[in-house]
Amino acid sequence: MTATVPAAARAVIVGGGIAGCSVAYHLTKLGWTDVVLLERARLTAGTTWHAAGLVGAMRPNRALTAMSKYGIDLYSKLEAETGQATGWKNCGSVNVARTPERVVAFKRQVALAKGFGVDIQEISPAEAGKLWPLMRTDDLQGAIWLPGDGKANPADLCMALAKGARMGGAKLFEGVGVTDFERANGAISAVMTDQGRIAADVVVLACGQWTRQVAAQLGVAVPLHSAEHFYIVTKKIDGVTPDLPVMRDPDGYIYYKEEVGGLVMGGFEPVAKPWGMDGIPEDFAFRLLPEDWDQFQILMENALHRTPCLETAEVRQLLNGPESFTPDGNFILGEAPALRGLYVCAGFNSAGIANAGGAGRLTAEWIAGGEAPMDLADVDIRRFADFQANGRFLRERTVESLGLHYVMRWPRMELESARPLRRSPLYDRLAANGARFGSKMGWERANFFAPADAKLAYGWAPAWLPHAQAEQHAARTGVAVVDQASFAKILVQGRDSCAFLQRLCANDVDVAPGRSVYTALLNSRGGFESDVTIARLAEDKFLYITGSAQLTRDLDWLGRHIGDSFVTLTDATVTWTTLSLIGPGAMPLLGKLSPNLAPLAPGEVRTLDAGYARVLASPMSYVGAPGVEMLVPTEYAAGLYDELKRAEPALRDLGYYALDALRIEAGRRAFGPELGPDETPVEAGLMHAVALDKPGGFLGREALIAKREAGIAKRLCLFALEDPADWLWGGEGILADGKPAGEISSAGWSTVLGRCVGLGYVRADRNFERAEMLSWSYAIDIAGKVVKAKALARAAYPPK
């Protein structure tokens, strides 16, 4: 295009692939007509043009599934709206299983899909063969059929979104390169191009695999890395028809779709090949990488086994097109921390066509509404920290993360690459004691403790359970110690710190120094943005303690609301290590190291001597008490741990698997599984931690009151399985009076009840009260096996 870029725009989108065009399209649907999209080359030139174009509805959680369902609906109507062909075909998809373990995964997916409103059917290998006649089925164990899935022509689909955006008033410019940005007062203010400056209120980076290096110009971390991605395209094959479904064979790491009477066959090999370590060339437009049949070999061998017709098919091309992948396999959306007005919509892990329709809408709604329109924690840019944009970390993680599409995702499976990364002062001691580590926000954390020679493989049965049960028993009957160094900690200081926190916190935090308060931070809809403990250390000094994964998110939430307040925020995570003693023996043990120790009152925060250390101590309630949490200056943590072990030889190390089970048994909620932007304290049963009548109110108060008065159609409930032999992992479907009514959010073993317990939201199509909810008959769908469960009127711990 030769048109001149404007001097100003309300929103500027950088990147003309399907993500950027979708954001532009959806902004215009919200009434934003002053929208500019800039593409350095031509639309689709980066990754979109060579994408495979598979589109599916099912995602791992309710919010993202709703997003995908919207995208499919949009794609089915876009051609009629714009007049631009999209290549959309509702052909359905067949997924096949080679192993019994994969069949269990499929059955769990079917149970979850029922609650999400996705049409999905478990079918036999023979039925799968009828739907996809070209494949071999004699070695298959099972399959599923998703009739609502489909495929599209990626370039045409992108052009339809672009045309729709233009029809809504957006201006799209090709051949315009972005050279720099301007910032003012902590916000993006302008985009500099090779054709001039554009002042902007909002800038969206939808630059695909270039996004990390573009964002780095602004000091913003966007953790993604490119990898080579392969598929072959054949000439026509007898028996391949236009309505042939998409087919996936995840145990073989491969997928298929029909194209012009032939097949596209590609996949996601378990050991990937990163690319672009030194940056992505600016002129990499409509270009591919050299063929690499050695890298493609594992996919080709599996495809020859599954589809023998490929042995004689003529291959037109082995296409090697790089795409961007993130450390956890989820894409990246949202407003960048610490730079207002800058949004990211990128990192789609080779699923950009499937996700861009919904992701563009969510990004547009986020921009227009000023906060995420629903719970998007799994894709929120704030789930990452700056260190995760480290080049070596990303390169090593990408080798593993590309394969996450099809690798068997066992419950509680830990990624292994680029570890260990962040280690507490006790890491070596815990490792010597048999810790089996997991990773959270880069922190190595003990999941459980087991002898070095214990072989504990992943599976549908929890091989680690006896070890965690022993830790739980110690915590309930004796004393156990847990290293919680990864807790994120923020010092909130300044003359306005109390008033500032009062505005953001739902509970009353204006307490005396030496006291702590559990509180929610709510959004404008009354949903949880975080749940935290705040200790007042002085009149103008508060210690804000939040979850390991929430530091970036919480610093951003606090920072965006400071305004003109005289308040400073300081990340103090590594200043203190948290050591917690749990069990009836906790206070007697601490008394051995702290002379003349008086009992700690509920909510008290006391400075006391413990061995050679001075610690901040408070009663522990996360697992239902008794216990004590100690904030220990990091340099003293190892010494205090050693002294505790010497003072009580029976002191048991406790890992996070046991800790999680203990808190579920005690009915304690966790941010993420039970608490998030779509859940309110009314629904979560946490109104006792809300001070509705405190002077001045708080953010989200009006929405919360309205929610309570209008009534609610979902409530959190604690369940216990009837049969101790059944096991919950989380994600199982809840049945209320025989009908789908939600899913289990957290699960663990109850030492009190001697069986599995689980938390989950019960949902209905009408409002209901808690008493009515408890009266319903419940069952849980565990991979197709429906087992009886009881809704508990009170937590299992402490027992009556």
Side-chain angles (χ1 to χ4, degrees):
M1 290 184 180
T2 58
T4 303
V5 299
R10 192 176 182 189
V12 174
I13 300 163
V14 183
I18 192 166
C21 290
S22 181
V23 174
Y25 171 88
H26 285 97
L27 279 173
T28 65
K29 291 295 183 183
L30 295 175
W32 285 46
T33 56
D34 190 10
V35 175
V36 167
L37 183 146
L38 305 174
E39 166 54 47
R40 180 173 49 208
R42 287 162 49 201
L43 298 182
T44 80
T47 297
T48 299
W49 73 276
H50 64 68
L54 281 58
V55 181
M58 190 62 189
R59 293 292 178 267
N61 64 45
R62 186 174 293 271
L64 294 184
T65 299
M67 177 204 75
S68 294
K69 289 172 66 179
Y70 164 79
I72 288 175
D73 183 64
L74 170 68
Y75 295 167
S76 70
K77 300 173 180 177
L78 199 57
E79 183 171 342
E81 176 190 339
T82 65
Q84 165 70 46
T86 62
W88 168 253
K89 190 169 188 62
N90 176 209
C91 58
S93 70
V94 180
N95 294 358
V96 300
R98 301 188 185 198
T99 67
E101 292 78 13
R102 182 72 69 172
V103 171
V104 173
F106 281 178
K107 288 177 179 289
R108 291 174 60 86
Q109 189 175 356
V110 169
L112 200 58
K114 290 177 182 177
F116 293 173
V118 174
D119 188 1
I120 185 171
Q121 304 161 28
E122 185 179 0
I123 59 175
S124 68
E127 290 171 315
K130 291 179 181 178
L131 289 166
W132 224 89
L134 286 83
M135 74 168 157
R136 173 181 175 180
T137 62
D138 60 307
D139 63 334
L140 296 180
Q141 302 292 314
I144 52 176
W145 165 239
L146 294 100
D149 288 357
K151 61 182 181 179
N153 181 303
D156 288 346
L157 190 61
C158 182
M159 290 301 186
L161 287 166
K163 186 174 181 181
R166 291 190 185 98
M167 290 166 61
K171 298 178 178 65
L172 281 64
F173 296 87
E174 297 178 298
V176 177
V178 172
T179 59
D180 205 351
F181 302 88
E182 291 181 4
R183 289 163 286 185
N185 302 316
I188 197 81
S189 59
V191 177
M192 308 301 292
T193 79
D194 52 18
Q195 292 190 19
R197 177 182 184 274
I198 308 174
D201 298 326
V202 169
V203 173
V204 182
L205 300 184
C207 319
Q209 59 189 339
W210 287 269
T211 305
R212 177 165 66 103
Q213 59 199 60
V214 173
Q217 297 176 239
L218 291 160
V220 172
V222 180
L224 56 80
H225 198 290
S226 294
E228 300 185 20
H229 179 56
F230 305 86
Y231 62 77
I232 59 168
V233 183
T234 76
K235 292 188 176 181
K236 288 187 176 182
I237 298 174
D238 289 341
V240 175
T241 60
D243 58 352
L244 187 72
V246 170
M247 194 267 278
R248 299 178 181 86
D249 177 4
D251 294 312
Y253 318 120
I254 50 178
Y255 62 78
Y256 300 80
K257 78 160 189 171
E258 179 274 339
E259 186 165 297
V260 197
L263 290 176
V264 168
M265 186 282 290
F268 299 93
E269 64 273 28
V271 180
K273 185 179 179 184
W275 179 77
M277 280 71 78
D278 299 322
I280 311 300
E282 289 190 2
D283 61 352
F284 196 83
F286 296 112
R287 288 170 58 185
L288 297 171
L289 299 176
E291 295 182 348
D292 188 341
W293 286 97
D294 289 338
Q295 182 70 17
F296 193 66
Q297 181 178 357
I298 186 173
L299 304 180
M300 194 70 215
E301 289 177 349
N302 285 329
L304 289 170
H305 170 83
R306 181 59 53 221
T307 47
C309 64
L310 289 181
E311 293 179 3
T312 57
E314 186 173 351
V315 175
R316 285 200 288 124
Q317 182 182 21
L318 171 60
L319 186 145
N320 180 3
E323 302 191 21
S324 58
F325 295 82
T326 63
D328 61 3
N330 291 327
F331 53 91
I332 301 174
L333 296 185
E335 190 174 15
L339 187 57
R340 301 280 75 82
L342 180 73
Y343 289 79
V344 173
C345 183
F348 283 95
N349 300 276
S350 196
I353 307 306
N355 289 317
R361 177 190 183 185
L362 292 171
T363 302
E365 290 177 347
W366 200 328
I367 291 167
E371 60 185 41
M374 62 171 67
D375 186 353
L376 297 174
D378 285 354
V379 296
D380 192 324
I381 188 173
R382 296 172 298 172
R383 73 188 188 274
F384 292 122
D386 285 355
F387 73 86
Q388 287 163 306
N390 174 279
R392 180 181 172 188
F393 167 80
L394 286 171
R395 182 169 62 252
E396 294 181 11
R397 177 55 59 85
T398 299
V399 172
E400 182 179 19
S401 65
L402 178 144
L404 295 179
H405 274 279
Y406 289 163
V407 73
M408 189 68 183
R409 297 294 292 271
W410 296 106
R412 303 192 181 186
M413 189 179 84
E414 298 282 349
L415 300 182
E416 299 177 357
S417 53
R419 292 178 56 194
L421 199 59
R422 306 172 79 184
R423 287 174 270 192
S424 89
L426 305 183
Y427 175 83
D428 292 336
R429 287 165 169 79
L430 300 184
N433 291 345
R436 302 297 179 91
F437 290 100
S439 179
K440 191 71 170 282
M441 189 54 96
W443 285 99
E444 293 293 316
R445 309 195 312 179
N447 283 335
F448 59 92
F449 293 81
D453 59 355
K455 305 300 182 184
L456 303 171
Y458 291 121
W460 293 115
W464 45 264
L465 182 59
H467 306 288
Q469 286 174 325
E471 297 166 25
Q472 290 176 245
H473 180 75
R476 291 302 189 212
T477 62
V479 61
V481 60
V482 57
D483 172 18
Q484 294 177 288
S486 63
F487 266 157
K489 311 166 194 78
I490 302 169
L491 277 172
V492 183
Q493 301 177 90
R495 71 178 181 221
D496 298 333
S497 54
C498 182
F500 166 69
L501 289 172
Q502 283 286 76
R503 290 199 308 272
L504 291 184
C505 295
N507 212 340
D508 190 348
V509 299
D510 189 5
V511 294
R515 304 290 300 171
S516 68
V517 176
Y518 168 77
T519 183
L521 284 80
L522 305 178
N523 55 39
S524 61
R525 306 190 311 275
F528 285 86
E529 285 297 323
S530 195
D531 78 314
V532 304
T533 297
I534 295 179
R536 191 169 196 170
L537 305 182
E539 288 296 325
D540 60 353
K541 184 177 183 180
F542 294 79
L543 181 60
Y544 175 111
I545 304 172
T546 187
S548 305
Q550 290 161 238
L551 179 63
T552 305
R553 178 190 186 94
D554 285 19
L555 276 172
D556 176 70
W557 188 256
L558 295 171
R560 69 172 54 234
H561 289 98
I562 284 181
D564 296 330
S565 299
F566 194 88
V567 173
T568 62
L569 306 174
T570 307
D571 175 10
T573 300
V574 298
T575 302
W576 285 289
T577 291
T578 303
L579 273 181
S580 296
L581 295 175
I582 307 172
M587 290 303 291
L589 172 54
L590 182 57
K592 294 179 181 180
L593 303 185
S594 186
N596 304 314
L597 177 64
L600 289 165
E604 181 181 4
V605 179
R606 186 191 307 167
T607 299
L608 53 81
D609 293 339
Y612 290 117
R614 301 213 83 194
V615 306
L616 284 174
S618 61
M620 183 177 191
S621 59
Y622 187 60
V623 299
V628 59
E629 290 182 359
M630 295 178 289
L631 283 166
V632 188
T634 296
E635 64 271 29
Y636 290 95
L640 178 56
Y641 175 85
D642 292 343
E643 289 199 71
L644 290 167
K645 285 283 190 175
R646 285 193 293 268
E648 179 49 76
L651 179 62
R652 184 91 184 218
D653 289 303
L654 184 137
Y656 273 82
Y657 285 3
L659 186 71
D660 200 43
L662 291 169
R663 69 96 183 164
I664 296 166
E665 172 181 72
R668 300 299 198 268
R669 293 77 163 153
F671 189 81
E674 286 79 48
L675 308 177
D678 292 343
E679 286 74 46
T680 67
V682 180
E683 296 156 325
L686 288 175
M687 287 300 292
H688 62 273
V690 174
L692 282 174
D693 297 327
K694 71 176 182 179
F698 54 87
L699 177 60
R701 177 180 179 273
E702 289 71 23
L704 193 58
I705 292 172
K707 172 73 74 172
R708 187 178 65 171
E709 292 178 349
I712 55 175
K714 72 174 182 181
R715 290 180 182 272
L716 190 65
C717 188
L718 178 63
F719 299 94
L721 297 187
E722 184 177 276
D723 189 342
D726 292 322
W727 181 258
L728 296 173
W729 286 106
E732 296 82 3
I734 299 169
L735 302 175
D737 289 339
K739 299 178 181 179
E743 57 277 349
I744 296 295
S745 53
S746 296
W749 180 262
S750 169
T751 56
V752 173
L753 300 179
R755 65 197 65 231
C756 250
V757 293
L759 288 163
Y761 281 95
V762 176
R763 301 167 187 266
D765 56 6
R766 60 176 177 81
N767 294 338
F768 58 90
E769 298 297 327
R770 186 169 184 271
E772 183 184 5
M773 176 184 73
L774 294 173
S775 73
W776 294 334
S777 176
Y778 288 98
I780 308 296
D781 187 334
I782 303 177
K785 178 185 176 184
V786 177
V787 304
K788 291 183 179 180
K790 180 181 179 181
L792 302 181
R794 62 181 303 277
Y797 186 88
K800 292 181 181 178

